[in-house]
Amino acid sequence: MIKITEKYNCTGCHACANVCPKECINMESDSEGFLYPGVDLKSCIACGLCEKVCPVSNKKDIDNEPQAFACYSKNEQVRLESSSGGIFTLIAEQIINEGGVVFGVILDKDMTAVHSYAESMEQLKAFRGSKYVQSKIGEAYKIAGNFLKKNRKVLFSGTPCQIAGLKAYLQQEYDNLFCIDIICHGVPSPRAWGKYVSYQESHMGSKVQGANFRHKDKGWNRFSMELEFNNGTRYIQTLDKDLYMQAFLKDACLRPSCHKCSFKTLHRQSDITLADFWGIQKIAPHMDDDKGTSLVFANSGKGKLMLDRLQNLIVSERVDIDKAVCYNPAAFRSAGENPKRGAFFEDIGKLPFDKLAYKYCSESIVITAKRKMTEAAAKVLKKTGLLHAAKKVLK
Ligand SMILES: Cc1cc2nc3c(=O)[nH]c(=O)nc-3n(C[C@H](O)[C@H](O)[C@H](O)COP(=O)(O)OP(=O)(O)OC[C@H]3O[C@@H](n4cnc5c(N)ncnc54)[C@H](O)[C@@H]3O)c2cc1C
Ligand code: SF4
Ligand code: SF4
Ligand code: SF4
């Protein structure tokens, strides 16, 4: 029977809960807001299946030769609505066109990230865009397994640990299964995201009805968090100033397992890996227009075939995988733990999100504010013709 003695060793993938024949594993939230399995001992029959499928304690080595590509969709609207180059939507559309089912992450009406499935182009739209918070798998593996057994094509997308969880749960290969994972920095706490949403709601006096973590109004490189409220108002702020993105990027609120991730490798269980092609301006500058370029790994024969089928719909170029990941260390290295992470979570129940972020993640926010003030002051001095004189005085 599964027992979590060390939180670093549980990714919250839900494979154990999905496989339990007695349905006696509940995924329970800890004080940080992450889900861990809890076993109802009265119902457990000690069959050992939960331990057998756990992808962390039964790590799989993959022997493959991934190929890397710089890609983006020729459909400009899809590309601008997606986090990087819009490749996820193109693959998902192929699967729907073949009568298949697509699993991905949506934000439900309470702004909780959950895995769900789509059987139509319209339903697919909700999966578009990265949701920077851990999604709840729920019963998604069981549902996907049932579709697979009925010979429906299934595309399952998620973090590398979620794909490992699905494959471990299924315990067999399926020709009709296609998996997409991402280069994964790590997943922030659903509790931290909930606190941020509540803070924004009380600030605006209205409920959040939609969130886009990767709005491209200022470009793909300097993306923005966008929130839409029930009263018609809108919040939009670049990643360097948005308090939630700062807490995420400063590694103050990631799941413990993300700091010792067992799935950081170039030899992955998925068919396709999607990522932002950070560093594209150095590797293939002609493919960088700041609208979003994806780094894509074709990890399997199925993945390579899929990219071939997309050729008319994408702009793509083969790149050297080792050079490409130099600019994206999350592909192979776990995020370091912020030394203030523990204190952040100790205070999460006591402080509103803005105070929490200013207290524990403020360094870069303050530096950005100072830089802005210096730039603004320089502009005024330039306008008044005093910039040269001021520089002399400062020297
Ligand atoms: C938590 C997280 C961390 C990431 N870290 C990095 C990183 O360090 N470096 C990097 O290059 N790229 C990272 N990415 C991937 C990147 O943000 C894009 O998702 C990727 O480039 C695909 O973009 P796209 O334009 O093809 O499609 P999009 O439409 O933007 O991608 C949507 C896909 O992402 C999935 N998805 C969305 N939110 C989640 C979630 N919470 N959990 C699991 N799957 C989700 C959807 O189901 C769908 O499959 C991360 C994504 C997430 C969700
Ligand atoms: S040992 Fe079997 S019955 Fe008990 S929790 Fe694990 S899977 Fe469920
Ligand atoms: S199967 Fe997944 S959720 Fe269950 S213990 Fe292992 S990592 Fe945690
Ligand atoms: S960093 Fe690793 S453990 Fe964390 S969500 Fe990503 S794949 Fe899972």
Side-chain angles (χ1 to χ4, degrees):
M1 170 201 55
I2 210 97
K3 195 163 179 224
I4 308 300
T5 47
E6 179 61 88
K7 285 194 168 168
Y8 288 109
N9 291 334
C10 175
T11 67
C13 76
H14 284 62
C16 52
N18 274 256
V19 87
C20 175
K22 300 302 283 181
E23 298 188 346
C24 64
I25 302 182
N26 287 316
M27 297 299 289
E28 294 157 359
S29 178
D30 72 353
S31 62
E32 295 181 347
F34 294 110
L35 299 175
Y36 293 89
V39 178
D40 170 11
L41 294 173
K42 279 188 249 125
S43 311
C44 173
I45 52 167
C47 67
L49 259 181
C50 48
E51 287 165 287
K52 190 177 156 202
V53 301
C54 177
V56 177
S57 38
N58 305 286
K59 226 184 128 196
K60 246 181 157 180
D61 285 327
I62 304 294
D63 181 20
N64 67 345
E65 279 186 35
Q67 294 175 356
F69 299 85
C71 299
Y72 59 79
S73 168
K74 287 182 185 170
N75 182 327
E76 179 113 341
Q77 194 195 338
V78 165
R79 190 178 172 205
L80 289 175
E81 285 172 7
S82 304
S83 301
S84 55
I87 304 301
F88 164 74
T89 295
L90 291 181
I91 299 176
E93 284 176 352
Q94 293 278 328
I95 302 287
I96 296 282
N97 277 334
E98 290 164 16
V101 189
V102 176
F103 285 74
V105 178
I106 60 161
L107 288 174
D108 71 8
K109 62 177 180 13
D110 302 319
M111 292 296 111
T112 305
V114 292
H115 257 79
S116 176
Y117 66 90
E119 296 181 87
S120 71
M121 298 293 184
E122 193 51 38
Q123 291 168 336
L124 264 190
K125 288 183 188 160
F127 296 153
R128 202 170 289 154
S130 295
K131 288 89 184 170
Y132 291 127
V133 55
Q134 183 162 36
S135 75
K136 187 176 169 176
I137 286 285
E139 303 222 308
Y141 297 160
K142 268 190 205 172
I143 302 169
N146 289 337
F147 280 125
L148 288 167
K149 280 179 205 142
K150 286 181 193 150
N151 276 327
R152 285 283 289 278
K153 269 209 168 164
V154 171
L155 161 57
F156 201 100
S157 65
T159 58
C161 59
Q162 290 171 335
I163 299 303
L166 169 71
K167 295 226 164 173
Y169 162 80
L170 292 171
Q171 297 180 70
Q172 70 172 87
E173 292 293 327
Y174 284 91
D175 284 343
N176 47 334
L177 173 64
F178 192 93
C179 292
I180 295 184
D181 71 356
I182 47 175
I183 289 186
C184 179
H185 179 83
V187 283
S189 141
R191 187 171 182 200
W193 167 243
K195 288 278 299 190
Y196 170 78
V197 170
S198 304
Y199 154 71
Q200 290 283 17
E201 288 178 341
S202 60
H203 197 65
M204 291 286 187
S206 179
K207 294 277 294 170
V208 172
Q209 61 172 14
N212 179 354
F213 295 70
R214 296 286 302 259
H215 201 285
K216 294 180 180 171
D217 68 327
K218 294 214 162 49
W220 163 57
N221 279 286
R222 194 162 171 250
F223 61 85
S224 302
M225 167 75 84
E226 182 202 32
L227 300 173
E228 284 171 345
F229 295 84
N230 272 342
N231 63 4
T233 53
R234 176 177 178 248
Y235 159 93
I236 186 152
Q237 195 59 270
T238 47
L239 75 160
D240 50 330
K241 281 185 250 142
D242 178 73
L243 298 177
Y244 182 75
M245 285 311 294
Q246 281 304 306
F248 169 38
L249 295 170
K250 299 210 110 204
D251 302 325
C253 56
L254 298 182
R255 190 175 176 103
S257 58
C258 301
H259 298 297
K260 282 191 185 168
C261 176
S262 311
F263 305 95
K264 300 271 181 192
T265 170
L266 296 187
H267 302 281
R268 291 165 173 253
Q269 300 195 35
S270 63
D271 298 294
I272 288 271
T273 299
L274 297 176
D276 289 283
F277 206 137
W278 304 130
I280 187 69
Q281 68 279 15
K282 302 226 169 66
I283 291 179
H286 50 283
M287 288 193 68
D288 178 26
D289 54 7
D290 206 20
K291 291 179 183 167
T293 304
S294 297
L295 170 60
V296 180
F297 302 157
N299 300 318
S300 67
K302 275 191 230 176
K304 283 165 195 155
L305 204 65
M306 177 61 82
L307 276 192
D308 285 345
R309 284 168 53 199
L310 294 182
Q311 275 317 306
N312 289 335
L313 305 172
I314 58 176
V315 176
S316 104
E317 187 169 309
R318 178 99 187 254
V319 294
D320 181 317
I321 194 164
D322 295 320
K323 282 190 189 146
V325 294
C326 283
Y327 300 94
N328 211 331
F332 53 85
R333 191 192 306 143
S334 295
E337 196 169 322
N338 187 318
K340 294 179 186 166
R341 183 190 181 282
F344 177 97
F345 279 113
E346 265 168 38
D347 272 354
I348 197 166
K350 299 177 203 147
L351 299 175
F353 196 86
D354 57 336
K355 295 225 162 62
L356 202 60
Y358 278 119
K359 192 166 172 189
Y360 298 112
C361 326
S362 63
E363 226 169 274
S364 64
I365 302 169
V366 172
I367 289 169
T368 313
K370 275 188 186 158
R371 200 186 59 220
K372 282 260 158 207
M373 276 161 63
T374 318
E375 281 168 7
K379 261 188 197 162
V380 172
L381 288 171
K382 205 173 179 184
K383 261 192 187 166
T384 52
L386 291 172
L387 184 61
H388 189 64
K391 273 185 181 166
K392 261 189 165 176
V393 172
L394 282 176
K395 261 186 196 165

